[in-house]
């Protein structure tokens, strides 16, 4: 310390604010604390990553089914209304939190340390989802490789895995068209290929006795994790480039499948069944709940992926525009996917001579049973099968990138000194650990465990996390303060629409969803298999554990403070001293000189020195400073 003081005494120091760039010699003005964290390398990286994250498997196998079972074209009314009330506002809120602070799901709770448990709950949820989601990608890889043949293996009966119930569901035609088949008590080759060959579920006696590991699935899961690791090896700098392909190529394949589907005979039956409005369904609360659930899960709010992606943006990235591009693009993609899927299902309906609702399914049943069966009816069936599963692969990988990047970013932001220099090694360890935990999903009864994880890992726990986040930001931190932060960042304040949704409409809708999911609780099942009571209890505890993270985090935050209980609560709910923009030149008003090692009393001057003038964002900073000063004077 004495040596440093002596050095300062020997050499006069020019105050930092009075120095020009030429006075500072070789000092790089771009070097700052957040430089080693990483940023997107291109303007489109963030936008494409968000599109890839939101547009996933659910757009293909869940939205079309929910649409036709809930009023067809009439379902679009509650769907877009819920998008406006819940989807867009919560999407923008999460992006704003991440971009303003440049922090992951854990460290972002410097905004109010009392609620840091919500960040921990996010990590638990996204970790469980990432384990089983990559297993679905492994199934897709399995089918992708199986499509590289002249004849699809699920096209005919007579294989070792087929039973006497197997019947090739192909309609016989005469001059009047397709003759109806009696399909009662029969099983299609594609269904037996899926259940008896891919899953080998007959080798399991239930979730408590899953049987042996399926080594072909084990290797596919390993390949899936290797692909994910290689794509996130350098963080957003590598995954941000991969999404240029994985986020755009699915649209090309979807367009090809759509064109092929609508040109098939009988396609109009499926499309008519898909979109025929049944407005009487709108009188049912179930339809509105289904629409809200589809929006909620499709946009990926609450998983931390949006917050993580936004944290790698520059401070003034126009996330307001990006919010509408991604959310509306996601909705339009879902509708287009419905046309592609149901046009093919209409063709199947005509070929088999059965109603469309007898061939339409949701979830994995559509991707691994119904659609593969439809491919066998087309000329060049291996080609169309390969395209379909390659589309599913690219759709799934984008979401998986986001899940892993969320976990890695959250933990490295908590321990930057130790983990940021070794981020690639840490990412590898996370992938290895999750691969080992996912091995149970590759057993004969692995599908039972996958269904349990799917039903409970991100159910009511995720809703509790999002409600908590919304209330903590708008009620505890303060809606006015949050809007002022956005003003500082984007140059304008959110309007009445966003404030009303954040304060009332979005939390109320999510609370209704939560109550509905509890009241309408149904035990998990897979086909005719009913889960035992201990498995149901395990699933419920899985969901409760994420909820319990929130009060546990509150307890830890309160214990770290001093004073009475009320004083501790007040102190823990206030923003941390270093809360705010990560770069010093972006700080103004209450955020001035709160960074460790900060030297500049007015970051606005840093802007002037660095860019040679005042830009529109600096004018915004001056305006925000003036508002804060006026508020402080009025309070005195």
């Amino acid at each position: 310390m004495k040596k440093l003081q002596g050095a300062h005494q020997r050499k006069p120091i020019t105050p930092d604010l009075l120095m020009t760039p030429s006075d500072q010699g070789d000092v790089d003005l771009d070097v700052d604390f957040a430089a080693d964290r990483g940023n997107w390398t291109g303007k489109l990286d963030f936008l494409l990553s968000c599109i890839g994250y939101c547009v996933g498997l659910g757009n293909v196998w869940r939205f079309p089914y929910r649409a036709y079972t809930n009023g067809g074209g009439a379902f679009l009314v509650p769907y877009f209304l819920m998008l406006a009330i819940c989807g867009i506002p919560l999407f923008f809120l999460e992006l704003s939190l991440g971009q303003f602070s440049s922090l992951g799901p854990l460290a972002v709770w410097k905004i109010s340390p009392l609620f840091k448990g919500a960040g921990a709950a996010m990590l638990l949820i996204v970790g469980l989802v990432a384990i089983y989601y990559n297993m679905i990608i492994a199934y897709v890889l399995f089918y992708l490789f199986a499509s590289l043949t002249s004849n699809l293996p699920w096209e005919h009966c007579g294989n070792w895995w087929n039973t006497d119930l197997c019947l090739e569901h192909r309609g016989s035609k005469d001059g009047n068209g397709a003759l109806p088949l009696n399909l009662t008590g029969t099983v299609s080759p594609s269904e037996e290929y899926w259940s008896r060959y891919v899953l080998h579920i007959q080798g399991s006696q239930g979730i408590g006795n899953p049987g042996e590991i399926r080594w072909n699935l084990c290797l596919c899961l390993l390949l899936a994790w290797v692909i994910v690791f290689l794509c996130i090896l350098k963080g957003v700098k590598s995954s941000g480039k991969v999404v240029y392909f994985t986020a755009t190529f699915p649209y090309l394949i979807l367009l090809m499948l759509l064109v092929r589907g609508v040109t098939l005979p009988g396609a109009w039956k499926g499309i008519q069944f898909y979109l025929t409005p049944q407005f009487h369904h709108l009188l049912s609360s179930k339809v509105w709940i289904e629409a809200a659930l589809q929006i909620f899960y499709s946009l990926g709010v609450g998983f931390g992926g949006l917050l993580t992606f936004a944290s790698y943006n520059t401070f003034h990235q126009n996330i307001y525009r990006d919010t509408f591009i991604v959310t509306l693009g996601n909705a339009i993609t879902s509708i287009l996917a419905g046309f592609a899927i149901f046009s093919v299902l209409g063709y199947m309906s005509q070929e088999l001579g059965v109603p469309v609702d007898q061939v339409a399914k949701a979830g994995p049943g559509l991707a691994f049973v119904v659609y593969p069966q439809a491919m066998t009816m087309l000329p060049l069936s291996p080609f169309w099968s390969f395209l379909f599963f390659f589309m599913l692969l690219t759709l799934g990988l984008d979401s998986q990138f986001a899940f892993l990047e969320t976990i890695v970013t959250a933990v490295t932001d908590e321990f930057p000194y130790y983990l940021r220099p070794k981020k690639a090694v840490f990412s590898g360890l996370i992938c290895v650990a999750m691969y080992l935990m996912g091995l149970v999903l590759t057993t004969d009864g692995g599908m039972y465990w996958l269904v349990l994880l799917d039903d409970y890992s991100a159910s009511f726990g995720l809703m509790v996390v999002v409600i908590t986040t919304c209330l903590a930001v708008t009620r505890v931190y303060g809606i006015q303060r949050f809007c002022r932060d956005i003003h500082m960042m984007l140059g304008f304040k959110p309007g009445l629409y966003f404030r009303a949704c954040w304060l009332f409409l979005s939390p109320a809708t999510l609370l209704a969803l939560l109550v509905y999911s509890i009241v309408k609780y149904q035990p998990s099942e897979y086909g005719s298999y009913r889960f035992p009571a201990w498995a149901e209890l395990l699933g419920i505890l899985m969901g409760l554990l994420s909820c319990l993270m929130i009060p546990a985090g509150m307890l830890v935050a309160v214990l770290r403070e001093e004073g009475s209980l009320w004083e501790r609560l007040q102190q823990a709910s206030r923003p941390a001293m270093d809360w705010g923009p990560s770069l010093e030149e972006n700080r103004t008003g209450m955020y001035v000189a709160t960074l460790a090692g900060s030297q500049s009393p007015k970051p606005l001057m840093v802007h002037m020195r660095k860019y040679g003038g005042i830009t529109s964002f600096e004018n915004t900073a001056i305006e925000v400073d003036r508002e804060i000063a006026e508020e402080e004077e009025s309070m005195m």
Side-chain angles (χ1 to χ4, degrees):
M1 187 68 185
K2 291 182 179 179
K3 290 181 180 180
L4 290 175
Q5 290 175 349
H8 282 289
Q9 291 173 357
R10 288 193 298 270
K11 186 176 180 179
I13 299 297
T14 304
D16 183 58
L17 290 180
L18 301 180
M19 294 174 68
T20 64
S22 59
D23 294 328
Q24 300 190 41
D26 297 330
V27 176
D28 185 2
L29 291 174
D30 290 328
V31 175
D32 48 60
F33 174 76
D36 60 346
R37 189 176 184 271
N39 289 99
W40 300 109
T41 56
K43 292 184 178 180
L44 286 177
D45 294 14
F46 166 72
L47 184 61
L48 290 177
S49 294
C50 285
I51 291 174
Y53 169 61
C54 296
V55 178
L57 300 175
N59 296 75
V60 174
W61 70 32
R62 187 169 287 123
F63 174 84
Y65 186 85
R66 275 186 170 163
Y68 99 81
T69 56
N70 290 283
F75 180 72
L76 298 180
V77 175
Y79 179 76
F80 279 101
L81 188 59
M82 288 301 171
L83 176 65
I85 292 176
C86 241
I88 294 174
L90 293 177
F91 194 96
F92 185 49
L93 181 143
E94 196 164 327
L95 291 187
S96 299
L97 273 179
Q99 181 167 301
F100 182 77
S101 62
S102 296
L103 296 172
L106 278 178
V108 76
W109 287 103
K110 290 179 180 180
I111 190 173
S112 184
L114 185 67
F115 296 94
K116 192 170 185 176
M122 275 186 187
L123 287 192
L124 176 62
I125 291 170
V126 79
L128 292 172
V129 171
I131 291 173
Y132 81 81
Y133 201 86
N134 224 27
M135 189 65 229
I136 297 176
I137 296 177
Y139 293 142
V140 172
L141 285 171
F142 190 99
Y143 272 81
L144 193 68
F145 295 138
S147 301
L148 299 174
T149 179
S150 57
N151 293 303
L152 295 174
W154 56 84
E155 186 172 356
H156 302 289
C157 297
N159 302 289
W160 65 262
W161 59 81
N162 292 126
T163 66
D164 295 336
L165 297 177
C166 183
L167 175 66
E168 296 180 22
H169 293 175
R170 291 175 176 273
S172 58
K173 294 185 177 181
D174 60 13
N176 297 323
L179 294 176
L181 291 174
N182 183 10
L183 305 180
T184 306
T186 65
V187 182
S188 66
S190 62
E191 187 168 350
E192 288 203 338
Y193 180 83
W194 164 244
S195 62
R196 296 183 60 82
Y197 180 70
V198 179
L199 299 180
H200 200 256
I201 204 164
Q202 70 272 17
S204 169
Q205 298 178 6
I207 191 172
N209 187 8
E212 299 179 355
I213 287 179
R214 298 278 292 158
W215 291 106
N216 45 12
L217 289 180
C218 184
L219 292 176
C220 286
L221 182 61
L222 177 62
L223 177 59
W225 279 112
V226 169
I227 293 173
V228 171
F229 170 69
L230 292 177
C231 292
I232 67 166
L233 181 60
K234 295 183 178 179
V236 294
K237 290 185 177 179
S238 56
S239 64
K241 296 306 177 188
V242 175
V243 293
Y244 277 81
F245 176 77
T246 56
T248 57
F249 195 69
Y251 285 95
L252 176 61
I253 301 179
L254 184 62
L255 183 61
M256 293 175 65
L257 293 173
L258 176 61
V259 172
R260 181 60 182 135
V262 296
T263 56
L264 291 171
W268 64 272
K269 289 184 178 180
I271 294 175
Q272 184 182 32
F273 190 79
Y274 167 50
L275 284 183
T276 299
Q278 302 171 39
F279 290 104
H280 66 276
H281 280 272
L282 299 182
L283 300 177
S284 170
S285 61
K286 175 179 176 293
V287 175
W288 296 85
I289 296 294
E290 290 282 345
L293 285 173
Q294 178 63 28
I295 286 294
F296 183 69
Y297 287 109
S298 179
L299 293 179
V301 176
F303 288 95
L306 298 172
L307 194 153
T308 300
F309 283 159
S311 72
Y312 291 103
N313 279 342
T314 57
F315 189 68
H316 299 302
Q317 169 80 16
N318 190 352
I319 51 173
Y320 182 79
R321 173 201 61 201
D322 295 342
T323 293
F324 286 96
I325 291 175
V326 176
T327 53
L328 294 178
N330 176 70
I332 294 171
T333 303
S334 298
I335 296 171
L336 288 178
F339 279 103
I341 295 297
F342 271 88
S343 61
V344 175
L345 297 184
Y347 167 70
M348 282 185 67
S349 171
Q350 177 162 307
E351 287 291 300
L352 300 176
V354 297
V356 178
D357 59 356
Q358 290 189 23
V359 295
K361 291 184 179 180
L366 172 66
F368 301 118
V369 177
V370 177
Y371 216 83
Q373 181 186 351
M375 295 299 101
T376 64
M377 300 179 180
L378 299 176
L380 300 176
S381 56
F383 170 73
W384 295 108
S385 177
F386 181 86
L387 281 185
F388 175 72
F389 286 107
F390 193 75
M391 179 184 71
L392 292 186
L393 176 64
T394 51
L395 287 174
L397 283 175
D398 291 329
S399 300
Q400 189 69 4
F401 295 159
F403 295 150
L404 266 292
E405 192 62 51
T406 298
I407 297 171
V408 172
T409 296
V411 180
T412 51
D413 280 349
E414 278 294 291
F415 309 99
Y417 181 79
Y418 301 101
L419 295 180
R420 278 185 189 167
K422 302 176 181 178
K423 191 173 182 179
V425 176
F426 180 64
S427 300
L429 292 175
I430 292 291
C431 290
V432 170
M434 289 196 165
Y435 169 69
L436 294 176
M437 287 187 283
L439 285 179
V440 68
L441 303 178
T442 66
T443 59
D444 296 333
M447 178 53 68
Y448 299 136
W449 284 99
L450 190 147
V451 169
L452 192 70
L453 284 169
D454 185 38
D455 285 350
Y456 292 102
S457 61
S459 56
F460 59 89
L462 183 64
M463 296 181 197
V464 171
V465 168
V466 177
I467 293 172
T468 302
T469 302
C470 197
L471 294 179
V473 171
T474 59
R475 304 287 183 173
V476 179
Y477 182 68
I479 187 68
Q480 294 300 331
R481 186 184 294 182
F482 184 58
C483 290
R484 185 191 299 146
D485 291 344
I486 295 175
H487 186 196
M488 182 191 307
M489 182 170 60
L490 301 182
F492 60 88
K493 286 184 178 181
L496 178 62
Y497 158 64
F498 280 103
R499 294 200 300 271
C501 288
W502 289 336
L503 282 171
F504 306 108
L505 297 179
S506 296
T509 303
L510 291 176
L511 188 60
L513 285 178
L514 179 61
V515 173
Y516 179 84
S517 64
I518 294 174
V519 172
K520 296 293 184 178
Y521 166 76
Q522 291 182 344
S524 296
E525 58 184 42
Y526 180 73
S528 60
Y529 179 77
R530 301 295 182 269
F531 284 70
W534 66 265
E536 290 294 324
L537 180 61
L538 180 63
I540 294 172
L541 290 176
M542 193 189 308
L544 284 176
L545 183 58
S546 57
C547 299
L548 292 175
M549 290 284 187
I550 299 173
M554 290 180 173
L555 180 62
V556 172
V558 167
L559 292 177
R560 287 180 175 176
E561 302 297 338
E562 297 179 353
S564 65
L565 178 60
W566 177 245
E567 290 172 341
R568 288 170 181 250
L569 285 171
Q570 286 184 313
Q571 292 165 9
S573 62
R574 294 192 187 105
M577 286 297 296
D578 57 345
W579 163 253
S582 64
L583 303 185
E584 189 177 343
E585 60 259 35
N586 292 326
R587 289 179 171 250
T588 185
M590 70 182 73
Y591 301 112
V592 169
T594 54
L595 280 177
S598 176
Q599 296 179 351
S600 303
K602 280 292 179 184
L604 177 57
M605 298 299 294
V606 180
H607 270 297
M608 295 174 65
R609 180 190 71 204
K610 190 170 182 179
Y611 301 112
I614 298 180
T615 67
S616 60
F617 288 111
E618 279 74 68
N619 284 326
T620 298
I622 294 173
E623 184 180 342
V624 171
D625 278 342
R626 187 182 300 114
E627 288 182 7
I628 295 174
E630 290 174 356
E631 286 185 12
E632 290 175 349
E633 289 177 1
S634 64
M635 293 174 63
M636 293 178 62

